Amino acid sequence: MYQVVSDPLVYHELFVPVQKDPQCLLQTLLSLGLSSYMLYQSEQETRIAGNALCSITISSDAVVCDRFGKTQSQPIGDPLKQVESILASLPIEDWTAYGYISFDLARFYYPYTKAIAQPLLYFVIPETELHITAKGIRIRSVKSLTKILEALSVDNSTQNYTATPLEVDFSDRAHYQTQVGKLIQAIQAGDLHKAILSRSVQVQGEMDVLGTYCLGAQSNNSARSYCFEFDNVRAVGFSPEILMKVDGDRIITNPLAGTRPRAENAQHDQKLYRELFTDAKEVKEHALSIWLAQAEMAAFCSPDTVQVYDFMQVKQYRCVQHLSSRVGGQLKAGKTLWDALKVLFPGITVSGIDKYRALKWIDALEAEPRGIYAGGIGWVNSRGMADIAIAIRSVYQYGHTIHFNAGAGIVAESIPENEYLESVNKMNTMLSNLVLRSRG
């Protein structure tokens, strides 16, 4: 269906040794007409990409590619491998695709039935992208670089944003704790080892994506942060967790499991830190996750290369702190990042153990589709590299409804009241940073 043309489209590239604040630069680019955009920040660089050259989306019944104004569709088979095939056929040299994979895409691989009305996967190959580092900015564009250079010449600062006060309804407490109780019973009966049960808070309005990101960045540290707007889907987040990072044939996943809140008092905060190592529930939850992560990695990595790094370190964020370990390996010959993604997705720490049984229980106990929450956000490229964060500590907008989601890992030793409070602490990452667009 997808034929490779003989003369692929080529990006023009230019390195400009200037320092620009990514948020200010995005603000300027948006004022100049940037659309279908994503900002994605990692440890070493921030990327801004926008203006769709091609897009790939997955609905509940089709994989659709829109390239150069022409749309082609195929029925769902193995959707992630279909996306891999379509991307490989694009007549574009050295492309990078930016976007999201919703949790609901799991319905094609696991006993999970729910789905949002919006695309379950959305990737854009942009006309223009900027890689911002401490050394300068690398511009890549298939169009003239004039507008980008104009944007780099603008000396501005970001607007001052104010969070929109929210009245959050906690009336779901009793229901959530009841569902946790049902899950604990199933675990104690031996049906599964662990599952992550989530809850959702929804508000009406139009999220100011840049404003929410700028405000959130002032108070939240993260492993990956991002904001994007694709059609009527928007998201802003500060994820502590990397689903997968692929560089050449090396792949890393970074499960976080085991949680304590942060405290304003340093002494109390240190007490909570120590509890991560002494609470049997937290240690068990983390150890189970790392055990399964190694087994999953062995499915697509050479077995003797799978290793655990930085076992049970504590990662501290504004509202919570987690036990963290990294699991890495070397891809087997003939395996690609898409083979790895099929196994790792959805992440262990947002699904459960075993994953198949956990997804069945999540489907039964959660009333609504998760959407992008607990899926993945990031990028993949034609050289087999990828950087995908787990979509948590984020806020999402579908149409005119804004969604906050958070969950907790449930094991046999879980206490329902504590798990509800854990979900509240996690959700607070974004609840206090939402900026709505003015109605004027």
Side-chain angles (χ1 to χ4, degrees):
M1 179 181 288
Y2 299 99
Q3 297 181 345
V4 179
V5 299
S6 56
D7 297 316
L9 198 61
V10 177
Y11 281 90
H12 310 292
E13 295 199 22
L14 178 67
F15 179 77
V16 184
V18 299
Q19 301 298 313
K20 295 291 290 186
D21 178 78
Q23 297 168 25
C24 293
L25 183 53
L26 177 57
Q27 178 178 275
T28 302
L29 291 169
L30 290 172
S31 72
L32 294 173
L34 188 75
S35 62
S36 296
Y37 69 89
M38 173 180 283
L39 180 150
Y40 188 82
Q41 184 169 21
S42 61
E43 305 101 328
Q44 299 176 337
E45 67 173 6
T46 301
R47 298 184 174 206
I48 297 174
N51 295 341
L53 193 60
C54 303
S55 66
I56 300 172
T57 59
I58 294 177
S59 67
S60 294
D61 55 12
V63 181
V64 179
C65 179
D66 187 336
R67 59 180 185 180
F68 314 123
K70 296 182 179 179
T71 301
Q72 294 176 300
S73 176
Q74 55 183 269
I76 296 284
D78 183 344
L80 290 174
K81 294 297 283 185
Q82 287 172 274
V83 171
E84 177 183 25
S85 178
I86 294 169
L87 285 170
S89 75
L90 291 177
I92 305 171
E93 191 172 287
D94 196 17
W95 52 261
T96 300
Y98 296 84
Y100 68 80
I101 308 152
S102 77
F103 183 90
D104 302 347
L105 194 76
R107 73 201 310 265
F108 300 114
Y109 299 102
Y110 294 96
Y112 182 83
T113 62
K114 297 177 174 63
I116 54 174
Q118 290 73 21
L120 308 185
L121 175 148
Y122 199 124
F123 273 99
V124 165
I125 294 83
E127 287 183 352
T128 301
E129 56 181 308
L130 293 87
H131 299 200
I132 306 162
T133 68
K135 295 181 179 180
I137 301 174
R138 181 161 68 98
I139 306 169
R140 303 182 75 239
S141 183
V142 298
K143 296 293 184 71
S144 167
L145 303 182
T146 303
K147 270 195 173 183
I148 306 301
L149 293 173
E150 177 186 338
L152 293 183
S153 69
V154 173
D155 187 13
N156 66 343
S157 58
T158 55
Q159 300 178 34
N160 292 320
Y161 294 101
T162 303
T164 303
L166 296 178
E167 292 186 10
V168 179
D169 182 1
F170 292 105
S171 61
D172 67 336
R173 178 193 291 263
H175 175 72
Y176 180 81
Q177 292 176 180
T178 297
Q179 301 300 76
V180 170
K182 294 176 183 177
L183 192 52
I184 291 171
Q185 289 178 358
I187 294 169
Q188 291 174 342
D191 196 49
L192 71 168
H193 292 290
K194 169 187 173 182
I196 286 70
L197 196 63
S198 71
R199 43 185 288 271
S200 174
V201 169
Q202 300 173 21
V203 297
Q204 297 299 308
E206 299 295 322
M207 176 168 62
D208 186 318
V209 174
L210 180 58
T212 301
Y213 182 81
C214 289
L215 198 62
Q218 293 175 16
S219 56
N220 290 298
N221 58 321
S222 60
R224 299 290 185 269
S225 64
Y226 40 77
C227 65
F228 66 78
E229 183 168 356
F230 300 135
D231 293 336
N232 68 341
V233 178
R234 306 171 193 157
V236 176
F238 300 87
S239 175
E241 191 166 356
I242 300 165
L243 177 62
M244 68 179 214
K245 182 177 181 180
V246 187
D247 190 353
D249 62 357
R250 298 295 303 176
I251 180 167
I252 291 280
T253 187
N254 179 204
L256 304 184
T259 305
R260 278 291 183 270
R262 299 301 306 277
E264 293 183 10
N265 178 281
Q267 186 175 358
H268 186 205
D269 198 53
Q270 187 62 26
K271 176 179 178 291
L272 293 169
Y273 174 100
R274 290 193 298 269
E275 285 180 6
L276 285 168
F277 299 99
T278 59
D279 187 303
K281 183 264 179 184
E282 306 299 342
V283 173
K284 177 181 178 180
E285 183 183 347
H286 188 79
L288 284 171
S289 298
I290 301 309
W291 167 70
L292 182 56
Q294 292 177 84
E296 289 190 338
M297 294 284 279
F300 51 81
C301 288
S302 301
D304 58 345
T305 68
V306 177
Q307 298 181 51
V308 178
Y309 306 91
D310 307 322
F311 183 61
M312 284 182 62
Q313 287 192 343
V314 175
K315 297 288 183 69
Q316 294 183 310
Y317 299 97
R318 180 171 69 95
C319 296
V320 292
Q321 47 193 326
H322 300 285
L323 288 174
S324 165
S325 300
R326 295 186 303 137
V327 182
Q330 183 176 341
L331 288 172
K332 292 177 182 175
K335 295 293 186 180
T336 69
L337 70 89
W338 296 95
D339 296 306
L341 185 58
K342 275 185 63 176
V343 175
L344 294 174
F345 175 84
I348 296 164
T349 55
V350 289
S351 55
I353 304 170
D354 79 32
K355 197 177 284 187
Y356 187 92
R357 296 296 302 167
L359 266 291
K360 190 170 184 177
W361 276 98
I362 290 168
D363 191 49
L365 295 177
E366 294 183 8
E368 299 182 12
R370 287 187 172 186
I372 302 173
Y373 165 69
I377 294 173
W379 58 265
V380 299
N381 72 18
S382 58
R383 289 173 287 168
M385 301 170 68
D387 196 304
I388 300 175
I390 294 183
I392 52 177
R393 314 300 140 77
S394 303
V395 55
Y396 319 92
Q397 174 144 18
Y398 313 109
H400 300 291
T401 305
I402 298 167
H403 295 245
F404 298 89
N405 305 77
I410 312 304
V411 295
E413 295 80 6
S414 289
I415 299 170
E417 293 79 6
N418 292 350
E419 305 303 345
Y420 182 82
L421 291 175
E422 179 176 319
S423 75
V424 170
N425 288 327
K426 290 174 176 176
M427 197 178 288
N428 282 341
T429 300
M430 294 308 304
L431 275 173
S432 59
N433 291 306
L434 177 67
V435 178
L436 295 181
R437 290 177 177 172
S438 62
R439 296 178 182 271

